[in-house]
Amino acid sequence: MISRLIVSNYNTKTMTFTFSIPSTAPLTILHFLPGTDPPYKLLQTHPSFALLSKCKNMEDLKKVHSQFIKFGLHNSQFALSKLVEFCAVNPKDDLSYALSIFNTTENPNHVMFNMIIRGYSLSEYPNLAIEFYEKLLFSGNLPNSYTFPFVFKSCAKIMDTQMGKMIHGHVFKLGLMNDVYVHASLINMYAQNGELDDARLVFDKSSKRDAVSFTALINGHALKGRVDDARKLFDEMPVRDVVSWNAMISGYTQMGWFEEALMLFEEMRNVNVTPSVSTLLSVLSACARAGELKLGSRVRSWIENHGLGPNIRLVNALIDMYAKCGNLDSARDLFEGLEEKDLVSWNVMIGGYTHTGNYREALAVFHRMQQANMAPNDVTLLTILPACAHLGALDLGKWIHAYINKHYQHLQNTSLWTTLINMYAKCGAITAAKQVFQGMKTKTLASYNVMISGLAMHGDAYEALELFRKMTEEGMKPDDITFVSVLTACSHAGLVDLGQEYFNTMIQSYNYTPKLQHYGCMIDLLGRAGKFDEAMAMIESMDMKPDGAIWGSLLGACRIHKNLELGEYAAKNLFELERENPGAYVLLSNIYAGAGEWDKVALIRTFLNDKGMKKVPGCTSIEIDRVVHEFLVSDRTHPQSNDIYKMLDEVDRLLEMAGHVPDTSEVHYEMDEEWKEGKLSEHSEKLAIAFGLISTKPGTTLRIVKNLRVCGNCHEATKLISKIFNREIIARDRNRFHHFKDGVCSCTDYW
């Protein structure tokens, strides 16, 4: 005899409650035999189940679980299955707790098995869902229509088509082929694993081709890149629900067909299909990647007018859209307006700054994220590492490396390790880059490309070419990016013959048609070596018109070799392509100044002033204690400016004692020699080095990053500074790295 229990008091804060039994009710026993359940209606109305629906986290659930035990419900499989469901499926799940309940249950039923399978299918370990499916079969329970969708979802996640085919046989034997959800999940499994023929066969044999099945097949074709086939299926659909529209819009977006995605969204609205959150997320992604700020803003208005805000997923997508479309003010306003920022919020804001080249701001947001105790994930790290690379923030990069080693050591994310190699290489730590590369268990083409490029940037041409040889010997086929890195290595080292050999190998052995980047590398290589006839012959033989980079590299070579006639010709072509590029005019001005044609220098300067065109100012950054400091020429804005200039005076005094004479020929202004020397001593790299000297212990390596090509005077001065102060100074300019040590530079004065 089971009595009715009445809740007499319930405290929502502490989740405690008391029960009273009616005085007329007989004494009751609430403990049931294991494996048996009391009447279903009684369980449904039991107060403990009302409490279960109010649980918000595992702490709440454990309190309810204790009440289940107190009132004897722990022997009820219905009650236990509800506990397992909460643990396995709740967004803040705890599968380990679900397993502890499952493992202590005598003869768990198929419902409990299904819940564990579902939980694992949604987790990072979908392979364990397959293991539990096998346990289900051996337990004597039969899988049902609720089991298979999550099993097939797991097969799709782990790309195990063979296992999927075996389980397909089980579906057939159990007569569940016409179950709409099993059927759709089976199509989806085949389609996501790239087995489109099998997916289509299941689809064609079905008597129920509903919207779910159509959508699964559309998704599969879109994932495989067969977007036209996906569109044909979409057009064949007798009735299109919002999910099918989403699948097609998402397919277009994933393939980069942004215009088609946005047109389909407009069509969707015209036929009065109300977009869902998933629709809007796909559309905002398309707007972000296509730079469609106006449409993105209209989507925002639609969201606000239809009461879909505040939805953090949509707000995050809007932040991403605004940032990638260049409207950082709107992105920042939305970000700062979020009361509770999730990990995606931080990631899209950091990514937005990185995407638009606002690297200092990206680092600032990342530091705020750390202060907010929000743990980064691999997406965060992939986003912030390029900012570290650009600014030369090596200390922060090292911290990230340590974090990766601690949390992602066993994660097979080659992109993360490749980005780490790139960061080290661009921060001047080429030895660390090589160590990360050598430690990679699986090396991809991208990781080889980054390593070869890094070695090329550092002037380690022969090591770069040796790595290229090993790569090809291991059977990995280089792509066009690989050859850009190889040709760059030859260019930085002046290896003309080898460069021409690799250029011909690319064409003859790998059947690649040279792109502008390859021609640019070759013309730069020939120009730097003073082989202007060969450089011009290559330009004239090109199947496409030279771009600004090619004419710019030729113009730079003419400045080095003081080739006035060809320099004028290169400048003329460059001006036609980039009329508003002040750097081109400055280069030509330098050539004129070197030839002593000061009247032409004056004409160019007057032209630039009249047009309001200014040369990009030289800027050099240095990282001290994970803080990046930036300096401009004659900069006096730094808080330690007085100390910096005192050190600069000491540096100049010691340089003079060492016999250094500033080369004022590169200061092409009609001013007296003393003023020219003053300007040279206050170049941004000299200021950064002076700050580094007063901010670090003796013997510490200094790493600086300059946005322009290092000038000849600073190059000579830095060689001597490295010897005078017994410091290694690693400088990255716009083109390459210079390692200064003991009075010499790794470039051997060829840059």
Side-chain angles (χ1 to χ4, degrees), residues 134-414:
E134 293 174 355
K135 287 183 181 179
L136 168 66
L137 296 178
F138 283 113
S139 72
N141 290 292
L142 283 177
N144 57 15
S145 59
Y146 189 89
T147 314
F148 289 111
F150 298 107
V151 174
F152 286 131
K153 184 184 184 75
S154 300
C155 290
K157 273 190 171 183
I158 63 176
M159 303 293 286
D160 193 340
T161 308
Q162 287 304 114
M163 179 61 72
K165 286 183 177 180
M166 289 174 59
I167 298 170
H168 182 179
H170 298 173
V171 171
F172 188 80
K173 287 180 180 179
L174 291 169
L176 294 173
M177 282 302 297
N178 287 326
D179 182 275
V180 59
Y181 294 108
V182 174
H183 175 248
S185 63
L186 182 57
I187 294 172
N188 194 57
M189 183 274 295
Y190 280 127
Q192 285 198 30
N193 286 355
E195 303 290 340
L196 293 181
D197 291 338
D198 287 329
R200 186 69 199 227
L201 188 63
V202 174
F203 178 79
D204 289 340
K205 285 187 175 181
S206 173
S207 59
K208 294 184 178 181
R209 298 181 187 176
D210 60 355
V212 179
S213 302
F214 265 106
T215 302
L217 204 54
I218 288 168
N219 271 325
H221 281 81
L223 285 169
K224 197 72 174 177
R226 290 164 57 174
V227 185
D228 289 333
D229 291 336
R231 183 57 193 258
K232 286 178 184 176
L233 283 164
F234 180 77
D235 291 337
E236 288 173 14
M237 291 183 70
V239 178
R240 301 171 190 159
D241 62 5
V242 66
V243 180
S244 56
W245 285 92
N246 290 350
M248 198 63 243
I249 291 170
S250 176
Y252 278 138
T253 303
Q254 289 169 10
M255 286 301 296
W257 295 20
F258 308 124
E259 186 176 342
E260 289 80 358
L262 299 177
M263 286 174 62
L264 193 60
F265 174 64
E266 295 290 355
E267 184 182 335
M268 176 184 184
R269 295 177 62 197
N270 290 336
V271 296
N272 295 319
V273 177
T274 303
S276 67
V277 170
S278 295
T279 318
L280 298 169
L281 290 171
S282 292
V283 171
L284 287 171
S285 175
C287 291
R289 295 167 68 182
E292 284 285 349
L293 181 59
K294 287 185 179 179
L295 179 57
S297 297
R298 290 211 310 271
V299 172
R300 179 184 181 180
S301 299
W302 193 94
I303 291 169
E304 292 171 347
N305 292 337
H306 287 76
L308 292 180
N311 179 308
I312 194 164
R313 294 174 67 202
L314 290 174
V315 174
N316 289 339
L318 283 167
I319 293 169
D320 185 55
M321 183 275 297
Y322 277 122
K324 288 181 178 173
C325 289
N327 190 340
L328 287 170
D329 289 339
S330 295
R332 186 168 48 248
D333 289 345
L334 283 168
F335 176 75
E336 298 298 350
L338 283 170
E339 291 185 9
E340 291 189 16
K341 301 172 179 67
D342 65 5
L343 182 57
V344 178
S345 310
W346 292 99
N347 284 350
V348 292
M349 196 66 242
I350 294 168
Y353 279 129
T354 302
H355 179 78
T356 52
N358 291 275
Y359 302 109
R360 286 177 63 84
E361 290 79 0
L363 291 189
V365 175
F366 180 71
H367 287 311
R368 283 180 57 193
M369 177 182 172
Q370 290 178 294
Q371 290 167 358
N373 294 319
M374 178 68 71
N377 63 359
D378 54 335
V379 176
T380 322
L381 305 179
L382 282 167
T383 306
I384 199 63
L385 280 170
C388 296
H390 184 88
L391 293 172
L394 181 61
D395 288 345
L396 178 57
K398 286 180 177 178
W399 180 90
I400 292 171
H401 187 185
Y403 188 89
I404 292 170
N405 280 335
K406 182 177 180 180
H407 297 278
Y408 296 100
Q409 181 65 44
H410 303 294
L411 181 68
Q412 294 301 310
N413 187 337
T414 55

Side-chain angles (χ1 to χ4, degrees), residues 412-425:
Q412 294 301 310
N413 187 337
T414 55
S415 296
L416 192 56
W417 296 104
T418 299
T419 307
L420 193 61
I421 294 167
N422 183 61
M423 181 278 298
Y424 274 126

Side-chain angles (χ1 to χ4, degrees), residues 69-90:
I69 295 170
K70 179 178 180 180
F71 292 105
L73 296 175
H74 62 292
N75 288 328
S76 160
Q77 291 207 350
F78 174 81
L80 294 176
S81 67
K82 288 294 181 183
L83 291 173
V84 171
E85 179 181 13
F86 180 92
C87 299
V89 183
N90 192 284

Side-chain angles (χ1 to χ4, degrees), residues 368-672:
R368 283 180 57 193
M369 177 182 172
Q370 290 178 294
Q371 290 167 358
N373 294 319
M374 178 68 71
N377 63 359
D378 54 335
V379 176
T380 322
L381 305 179
L382 282 167
T383 306
I384 199 63
L385 280 170
C388 296
H390 184 88
L391 293 172
L394 181 61
D395 288 345
L396 178 57
K398 286 180 177 178
W399 180 90
I400 292 171
H401 187 185
Y403 188 89
I404 292 170
N405 280 335
K406 182 177 180 180
H407 297 278
Y408 296 100
Q409 181 65 44
H410 303 294
L411 181 68
Q412 294 301 310
N413 187 337
T414 55
S415 296
L416 192 56
W417 296 104
T418 299
T419 307
L420 193 61
I421 294 167
N422 183 61
M423 181 278 298
Y424 274 126
K426 289 186 175 176
C427 286
I430 193 65
T431 301
K434 287 189 281 190
Q435 288 171 348
V436 175
F437 176 77
Q438 290 162 1
M440 287 182 71
K441 294 178 181 178
T442 304
K443 296 179 177 65
T444 63
L445 178 60
S447 59
Y448 270 104
N449 285 349
V450 166
M451 194 67 247
I452 293 170
S453 175
L455 291 167
M457 282 192 300
H458 284 266
D460 298 330
Y462 290 105
E463 194 171 351
L465 300 179
E466 174 63 16
L467 185 59
F468 174 75
R469 184 190 63 78
K470 287 182 180 177
M471 168 187 158
T472 54
E473 281 185 354
E474 290 175 6
M476 190 166 289
K477 182 183 177 182
D479 61 6
D480 57 331
I481 297 173
T482 317
F483 280 105
V484 169
S485 299
V486 167
L487 295 174
T488 300
C490 294
S491 178
H492 286 327
L495 304 175
V496 178
D497 293 339
L498 271 176
Q500 290 175 322
E501 183 181 326
Y502 282 113
F503 185 76
N504 293 331
T505 298
M506 178 183 72
I507 299 169
Q508 296 167 8
S509 300
Y510 292 96
N511 298 318
Y512 285 128
T513 300
K515 296 181 178 179
L516 279 170
Q517 297 97 314
H518 303 112
Y519 282 118
C521 290
M522 285 303 299
I523 291 160
D524 185 59
L525 171 62
L526 294 168
R528 285 176 185 274
K531 296 181 178 293
F532 292 112
D533 290 340
E534 293 179 46
M536 285 305 302
M538 180 164 281
I539 289 175
E540 291 165 2
S541 70
M542 289 168 55
D543 294 333
M544 68 280 288
K545 290 184 177 180
D547 63 357
I550 288 176
W551 290 119
S553 67
L554 188 63
L555 183 59
C558 290
R559 184 192 63 80
I560 294 170
H561 294 282
K562 304 184 186 304
N563 190 328
L564 178 58
E565 183 179 353
L566 186 57
E568 288 180 321
Y569 177 73
K572 178 185 175 184
N573 286 279
L574 183 54
F575 295 155
E576 289 177 0
L577 295 171
E578 301 177 2
R579 190 168 296 276
E580 301 301 316
N581 179 359
Y585 294 95
V586 172
L587 267 177
L588 182 59
S589 173
N590 290 347
I591 294 174
Y592 283 139
E597 298 195 18
W598 295 103
D599 54 337
K600 292 183 178 179
V601 172
L603 284 173
I604 291 176
R605 287 180 57 78
T606 301
F607 173 78
L608 291 176
N609 288 332
D610 290 345
K611 291 288 185 180
M613 296 165 63
K614 294 183 178 180
K615 179 186 175 183
V616 176
C619 176
T620 302
S621 62
I622 183 170
E623 184 193 31
I624 303 293
D625 296 329
R626 288 177 60 181
V627 177
V628 178
H629 303 259
E630 289 185 336
F631 296 90
L632 300 175
V633 64
S634 303
D635 198 337
R636 294 183 182 274
T637 60
H638 195 278
Q640 293 176 253
S641 185
N642 289 337
D643 294 332
I644 291 169
Y645 274 89
K646 285 179 183 177
M647 174 53 75
L648 196 59
D649 290 339
E650 177 64 10
V651 168
D652 288 339
R653 186 183 70 80
L654 293 173
L655 283 173
E656 186 177 354
M657 288 178 61
H660 174 65
V661 179
D663 179 9
T664 59
S665 65
E666 290 202 9
V667 186
H668 300 309
Y669 301 100
E670 292 182 287
M671 57 179 71
D672 59 64

